[in-house]
Amino acid sequence: MALVADALSYTYGSGTAFAASALTDVSLALEPGELVLVVGATGSGKSTLLRLLSGLLEPDAGTVLVDGEKPGRPGRVGIVFQNPETQFFAETVFDDVLFGPRNLRFPDAEDAAREALASVGLPAESFGDRSPFTLSGGEARRVAVADVLAMRPAYLLLDEPTAGLDREGRDAVLAAIAVARERAGVLVVTHDPEQFLPVATRVLALASGSAAFDGSVGELLEDPVPYERAGLSLPDVVKAQVLARARGAAISSIALDPVRAAANLAEARGALR
Amino acid sequence: MIAVEDVTYTYPGAGSPALLGISAVIEPGSWTALVGANGSGKSTLARLLNGLLISSEGRVVVDGMDTTDEDRAWDVRSRVGLVLQNPDNQIVGTVVEEDVAFGPENLGVPRDELRRRVDEAIAAVRLTGLERREPHLLSEGQKQRLAIAGALAMRPAYLVLDEPTAMLDADGRSDVLDVLRELQAAGTAIIHITHDLAEALLAQRVIALQRGTIAYDGSATALLADDALMNALGLEAPPIARLASALRGAGLDVGAARTAEDVVEALWPS
Ligand SMILES: Nc1ncnc2c1ncn2[C@@H]1O[C@H](COP(=O)(O)OP(=O)(O)OP(=O)(O)O)[C@@H](O)[C@H]1O
Ligand SMILES: Nc1ncnc2c1ncn2[C@@H]1O[C@H](COP(=O)(O)OP(=O)(O)OP(=O)(O)O)[C@@H](O)[C@H]1O
Ligand SMILES: [Mg+2]
Ligand SMILES: [Mg+2]
């Protein structure tokens, strides 16, 4: 059981004067229970990779297999687009979220929709009757996440699921992802790796369409050079410890949490004195 | 200045107002950060500032022009630039450079000047090379940069940016913040909507909205120092500030450290 992408390449507008290569030879495996982070600069190919994994685009080279099959079977792979409004179509928020589970003939479709909305902090009682097109930016993103959670897919592909969210919304989405992950594989594209690194299993960093780093979070923290060389910046809290090490501070293991990072720095500072 | 006078706004068909009795004055050349939880009314206020929305009660006056005055609507929009939260709602041109040219062209900016403004704006957001690309074929971050370029080319006196960095990578964020600093230095007033308190620290003034009312209006540092208020407003200190405060707790004062470099320099001076 896994979503496996092998050596994917993709060029937009192949054969035209505007042909632009967006992804070159990228491989990835996502198993239930895993959380893979995909990071990279603007235009590095992250959303293109998601379109290929979900079967929205066909790769020019390479293959995508979802539990051994070509992608496309309804309900297996759920994708949340980077621009949430592009995925809404129903007249009300509740109908938008209900559409997936109902189409998949869940016997408890309404409950699935209600639970999904509650899990992102937008109770159906207050938001269910609203038009999805009149929501605030953060509310819209949360509904987009609920749309996909309600379908209980085996693989969740989330493009910037926390962008524009306030603290409460972000914490709700992180908690919902943690629950979904008990049975699903989750892939998150983000410009804010800080929030996801503590719970991620792997990190794939893209630079100009190619993998610049592919490894565990531990590997990334212990040797961030390839990551930084790809033009990506480490979270401030991590960077402080990496810089401190470069100045001779003895830090045995890099912490992601600000409080633990402070303890690391304080201890090293004491030891130096 | 922009004077927001006791403004209440209710969306058509909505049960309760999105903004309730808001008053504030935005001075020319100032830098204000606008923060608050999802749905607190930030984007609504942004759209009221340039007359895209008209308040049901109270009024907004831009350099003496009431935004309800339809004869002055175009003047108001050219003085108050607005970068929308969702760039798709703003992009009008068929290719990147036409989109950037659209606003100033409508202002009647002469050809040579137009070319210069467009090239400068495109360079400022690093979209050089993509001038002839169709906007809908850009990545989301590239679209966000395009929307910013369009507003820059208008050379507005007040620039309202609704979460302009939400979809950008770290370099893109610092590019945009650098551009804002340059604009302010040249006299443009900046109104910057953000969820990132580290970005809000760049502003002289922070206005925090809570369920449609102004819950805080003051300096970023005073807001960050007030844990109870931060919590009540659903805001969160940036991780580097939390690191600095934990270090203080351990007896290590790193001052007003805002970057990883600041922290390390304070602890291990080079
Ligand atoms: N067109 C609309 N019709 C009805 N209600 C709306 C409309 N647009 C926004 N609202 C509601 O008005 C309130 C304020 O929305 P606004 O977009 O100003 O919030 P915001 O502070 O910008 O939030 P976010 O951080 O999520 O972008 C929200 O409760 C929202 O659901
Ligand atoms: N439909 C399209 N036609 C042509 N080129 C495209 C199209 N969509 C994306 N591109 C280009 O392909 C490259 C990769 O785009 P993609 O959307 O995958 O980037 P991304 O990593 O998701 O960026 P962002 O962080 O800005 O969302 C970019 O250079 C982009 O301009
Ligand atoms: Mg993208
Ligand atoms: Mg908004």
Side-chain angles (χ1 to χ4, degrees):
Chain A
M1 289 271 287
L3 192 168
V4 182
D6 187 39
L8 299 180
S9 294
Y10 189 79
T11 297
Y12 287 101
S14 289
T16 73
F18 301 103
S21 161
L23 214 62
T24 315
D25 200 19
V26 171
S27 300
L28 168 118
L30 178 64
E31 287 179 25
E34 277 194 303
L35 192 152
V36 173
L37 274 191
V38 177
V39 297
T42 293
S44 59
K46 305 179 296 297
S47 298
T48 304
L49 175 61
L50 255 54
R51 289 180 200 126
L52 291 167
L53 294 178
S54 62
L56 281 171
L57 289 178
E58 287 264 351
D60 297 332
T63 51
V64 176
L65 289 175
V66 182
D67 300 337
E69 293 174 22
K70 285 195 76 167
R73 185 132 72 88
R76 293 302 290 167
V77 178
I79 179 166
V80 173
F81 294 101
Q82 197 170 358
N83 184 345
E85 272 148 54
T86 56
Q87 87 186 50
F88 299 146
F89 68 96
E91 277 183 29
T92 69
V93 164
F94 193 71
D95 285 347
D96 213 87
V97 181
L98 181 61
F99 180 81
R102 180 161 280 170
N103 250 2
L104 293 168
R105 300 183 194 287
F106 287 2
D108 59 343
E110 298 219 351
D111 289 339
R114 224 177 293 282
E115 272 166 33
L117 276 169
S119 75
V120 297
L122 299 181
E125 300 76 57
S126 6
F127 284 88
D129 294 335
R130 289 278 304 272
S131 157
F133 299 99
T134 65
L135 299 169
S136 81
E139 290 162 353
R141 187 166 307 278
R142 296 196 212 181
V143 171
V145 171
D147 271 345
V148 168
L149 288 175
M151 292 190 279
R152 300 177 186 142
Y155 303 97
L156 280 156
L157 312 177
L158 312 174
D159 206 342
E160 299 279 3
T162 57
L165 295 197
D166 60 17
R167 188 187 61 188
E168 180 210 287
R170 182 204 60 202
D171 289 350
V173 166
L174 286 173
I177 289 174
V179 171
R181 200 177 146 182
E182 287 169 13
R183 34 167 193 79
V186 182
L187 185 150
V188 170
V189 171
T190 181
H191 287 301
D192 282 314
E194 201 136 21
Q195 311 157 13
F196 293 98
L197 279 171
V199 289
T201 39
R202 290 186 79 74
V203 180
L204 169 64
L206 296 178
S208 308
S210 301
F213 175 89
D214 183 4
S216 70
V217 177
E219 284 163 344
L220 168 65
L221 296 179
E222 286 319 310
D223 181 16
V225 175
Y227 186 80
E228 290 188 295
R229 204 180 282 142
L232 290 156
S233 28
L234 295 167
D236 281 334
V237 166
V238 171
K239 199 160 148 198
Q241 296 165 84
V242 170
L243 291 172
R245 263 188 183 166
R247 293 200 179 171
I251 294 174
S252 56
S253 129
I254 303 251
L256 289 161
D257 168 75
V259 175
R260 276 198 221 126
N264 270 349
L265 293 171
E267 198 186 309
R269 171 66 197 265
L272 263 195
R273 267 214 200 130
Chain B
M1 63 177 191
I2 305 181
V4 179
E5 299 171 2
D6 203 15
V7 160
T8 291
Y9 184 83
T10 307
Y11 283 99
S16 53
L19 288 178
L20 189 64
I22 299 275
S23 294
V25 167
I26 307 288
E27 298 289 349
S30 60
W31 184 326
T32 307
L34 187 56
V35 303
N38 292 141
S40 58
K42 304 180 297 295
S43 300
T44 306
L45 181 55
R47 289 189 287 247
L48 281 157
L49 291 178
N50 86 335
L52 209 56
L53 290 178
I54 301 293
S55 61
S56 19
E57 285 164 54
R59 55 183 205 149
V60 176
V61 182
V62 176
D63 293 337
M65 300 177 285
D66 193 320
T67 59
T68 53
D69 183 352
E70 281 176 24
D71 294 339
R72 309 303 293 272
W74 182 250
D75 291 331
V76 166
R77 292 217 193 147
S78 56
R79 291 202 69 71
V80 186
L82 174 59
V83 178
L84 294 172
Q85 189 165 6
N86 183 349
D88 281 346
N89 295 337
Q90 166 150 34
I91 292 169
V92 290
T94 50
V95 300
V96 163
E97 60 181 5
E98 281 172 20
D99 187 75
V100 178
F102 181 81
E105 208 163 19
N106 275 306
L107 284 180
V109 170
R111 278 261 146 244
D112 294 357
E113 162 78 8
L114 185 64
R115 184 74 258 166
R116 205 160 46 85
R117 282 199 194 185
V118 169
D119 290 345
E120 273 178 29
I122 287 177
V125 298
R126 295 186 204 243
L127 281 180
T128 310
L130 294 174
E131 289 87 347
R132 306 294 304 162
R133 176 76 72 84
E134 292 174 39
H136 68 101
L137 304 183
L138 295 171
S139 81
E140 290 299 322
Q142 289 164 340
K143 280 186 203 164
Q144 195 156 38
R145 288 162 179 250
L146 172 58
I148 296 168
L152 293 180
M154 295 279 282
R155 305 266 164 92
Y158 306 87
L159 181 56
V160 186
L161 304 108
D162 197 349
E163 304 197 30
T165 60
M167 221 57 94
L168 298 184
D169 57 43
D171 285 349
R173 287 177 192 185
S174 59
D175 283 353
V176 167
L177 298 172
D178 286 345
V179 169
L180 298 189
R181 265 189 280 260
E182 282 168 29
L183 284 174
Q184 197 213 9
T188 311
I190 307 291
I191 298 104
H192 176 190
I193 299 179
T194 181
H195 287 288
D196 184 347
L197 268 287
E199 293 185 354
L201 273 164
L202 298 170
Q204 284 109 28
R205 173 188 184 190
V206 178
I207 295 179
L209 294 180
Q210 184 178 34
R211 280 178 253 107
T213 62
I214 294 182
Y216 177 84
D217 187 347
S219 78
T221 30
L223 174 61
L224 274 169
D226 190 339
D227 289 344
L229 181 61
M230 290 279 292
N231 253 325
L233 296 175
L235 300 173
E236 183 175 56
I240 196 74
R242 282 183 276 150
L243 174 65
S245 114
L247 283 168
R248 255 189 302 282
L252 292 169
D253 191 0
V254 292
R258 287 184 185 180
T259 64
E261 285 81 0
D262 293 346
V263 168
V264 174
E265 187 59 34
L267 295 177
W268 288 278
S270 54

